[in-house]
Amino acid sequence: MSTNLLILGKAPTLGELRNTLVRLEDTIIFALIERSQFKHNSSVYTAGAMQFKDGYSGSFLTWFLKEVEQVHAKVRRYQSPDEYPFTSNLPDAILPPLDYPPVLVDPECININDEIFNVYVNTVMPGITADGDDKNYGSSATRDIECLQALSRRIHYGKFVAESKFQDPNTHEEYVKHIKEKNRDRLMELLTNEKVEEQLLKRLKVKALIYGQDLSSVSDNPAPGTTSISPCSSVCNMCEDPDSHDRAKSRVDYDLVVSLYRDYVIPLTKEVEVEYLLHRLD
């Protein structure tokens, strides 16, 4: 169940945060699967590849993202402390402001969406799409924005994780000490739980295996002389043999999903956590 920050009235506990983060894993995997159905379409990401009547000189994705976020800003999306825009100079909301409880200290001062954007376009995109151009620019950019927003929300949730750990009476004084000393390395050590990270990566692998299956070959009434394919057996085959034919048919490479989290999502989340803590006593 999603954490409702409007009615919670305080920083979410680690248990409450875990439920939200686990659900966001599903959102991110399905968003990657949706984007992978279209080819790379490099024109979407190349500045000047498309001519805009309003004189805009950036890429189609950055134009589309700006237009989408302008609409979302008008309906108060970025007033929520767990939502962060990729673009600046957004319009004011057309609705009265929502009264969110002060669960974070200066939540808007840390926004690493530029890093997230670069990682997604330059590293994630080439891994989940086939080379080529199928002219589905609008559909591709729509899926890109869904991926970017989900990744941003997941990574910036590190602020809530940091706040929850900061308030833990068992470690509070140690956090205060290292914050005052501006000791990034010790803060990173305190925040890191390698066992939890290992469990996360294992869970992601299983989810990507299951969600990425192409079930078009599964039938309750197989044709005469053929055998019905069990989705469970397909997952087992991929787990036992990473190079199996079943994996080749998967809609998303589980290694890519795991490496996305291991190499980018987890490190960037902890970067957000450390930056938040360094400002916690300001």
Side-chain angles (χ1 to χ4, degrees), residues 119 201 255-268:
V119 166
L201 296 177
D255 279 342
L256 184 142
V257 175
V258 172
S259 64
L260 168 63
Y261 262 75
R262 183 189 62 237
D263 300 336
Y264 300 105
V265 173
I266 293 175
L268 288 175

Side-chain angles (χ1 to χ4, degrees), residues 49-84:
M50 298 185 189
Q51 302 300 315
F52 296 92
K53 292 183 178 179
D54 61 1
Y56 185 75
S57 59
S59 70
F60 179 64
L61 178 58
T62 56
W63 178 87
F64 200 168
L65 187 57
K66 175 175 67 73
E67 295 296 316
V68 168
E69 291 195 332
Q70 285 181 339
V71 174
H72 290 183
K74 289 180 179 180
V75 293
R76 306 181 297 199
R77 176 171 188 164
Y78 304 112
Q79 291 181 13
S80 175
D82 62 346
E83 296 282 1
Y84 295 85

Side-chain angles (χ1 to χ4, degrees), residues 2-262:
S2 177
T3 301
N4 191 326
L5 299 174
L6 271 175
I7 65 176
L8 194 60
K10 59 181 178 62
T13 65
L14 285 178
E16 292 166 334
L17 288 169
R18 190 172 294 113
N19 292 335
T20 298
L21 297 180
V22 168
R23 194 189 73 259
L24 280 169
E25 295 168 11
D26 303 342
T27 301
I28 290 170
I29 293 173
F30 280 119
L32 294 174
I33 290 172
E34 285 297 303
R35 177 58 184 90
S36 68
Q37 67 183 301
F38 305 108
K39 291 190 176 181
H40 185 230
N41 295 328
S42 60
S43 295
V44 173
Y45 316 102
T46 304
M50 298 185 189
Q51 302 300 315
F52 296 92
K53 292 183 178 179
D54 61 1
Y56 185 75
S57 59
S59 70
F60 179 64
L61 178 58
T62 56
W63 178 87
F64 200 168
L65 187 57
K66 175 175 67 73
E67 295 296 316
V68 168
E69 291 195 332
Q70 285 181 339
V71 174
H72 290 183
K74 289 180 179 180
V75 293
R76 306 181 297 199
R77 176 171 188 164
Y78 304 112
Q79 291 181 13
S80 175
D82 62 346
E83 296 282 1
Y84 295 85
F86 285 82
T87 53
S88 56
N89 300 319
L90 294 173
D92 295 332
I94 61 173
L95 300 172
L98 295 171
D99 187 20
Y100 284 96
V103 295
L104 296 176
V105 176
D106 194 12
E108 297 180 1
C109 71
I110 301 167
N111 183 333
I112 64 167
N113 276 342
D114 286 346
E115 290 184 63
I116 295 171
F117 185 91
N118 289 332
V119 166
Y120 177 80
V121 171
N122 297 319
T123 303
V124 178
M125 275 297 307
I128 64 173
T129 57
D131 291 337
D133 190 319
D134 57 18
K135 306 301 181 183
N136 285 304
Y137 301 149
S139 298
S140 298
T142 298
R143 302 296 180 242
D144 287 330
I145 292 171
E146 291 171 356
C147 290
L148 286 166
Q149 290 175 333
L151 287 168
S152 173
R153 190 161 183 254
R154 167 60 178 83
I155 289 168
H156 286 101
Y157 249 94
K159 298 181 184 183
F160 294 96
V161 174
E163 180 65 27
S164 180
K165 292 182 177 181
F166 176 81
Q167 293 187 14
D168 184 345
N170 296 320
T171 54
H172 177 75
E173 293 304 322
E174 193 169 2
Y175 274 112
V176 170
K177 176 178 182 294
H178 297 310
I179 290 170
K180 289 181 176 179
E181 295 173 350
K182 304 294 183 183
N183 193 330
R184 291 176 175 270
D185 292 339
R186 284 295 293 129
L187 287 173
M188 185 65 76
E189 290 175 13
L190 278 174
L191 292 165
T192 300
N193 187 326
E194 293 182 354
K195 183 178 179 180
V196 170
E197 292 177 9
E198 182 179 346
Q199 292 173 341
L200 162 62
L201 296 177
K202 288 181 178 178
R203 183 171 65 246
L204 281 167
K205 179 178 178 179
V206 174
K207 284 184 175 184
L209 283 169
I210 295 173
Y211 300 163
Q213 287 187 97
D214 180 1
L215 301 181
S216 60
S217 58
V218 178
S219 173
D220 292 331
N221 299 298
T226 63
T227 303
S228 177
I229 300 174
S230 165
C232 294
S233 65
S234 295
V235 173
C236 292
N237 289 340
M238 283 188 283
C239 289
E240 295 173 1
D241 181 8
D243 297 318
S244 68
H245 179 60
D246 289 312
R247 177 177 179 177
K249 295 187 296 182
S250 178
R251 294 179 297 169
V252 66
D253 187 340
Y254 66 74
D255 279 342
L256 184 142
V257 175
V258 172
S259 64
L260 168 63
Y261 262 75
R262 183 189 62 237

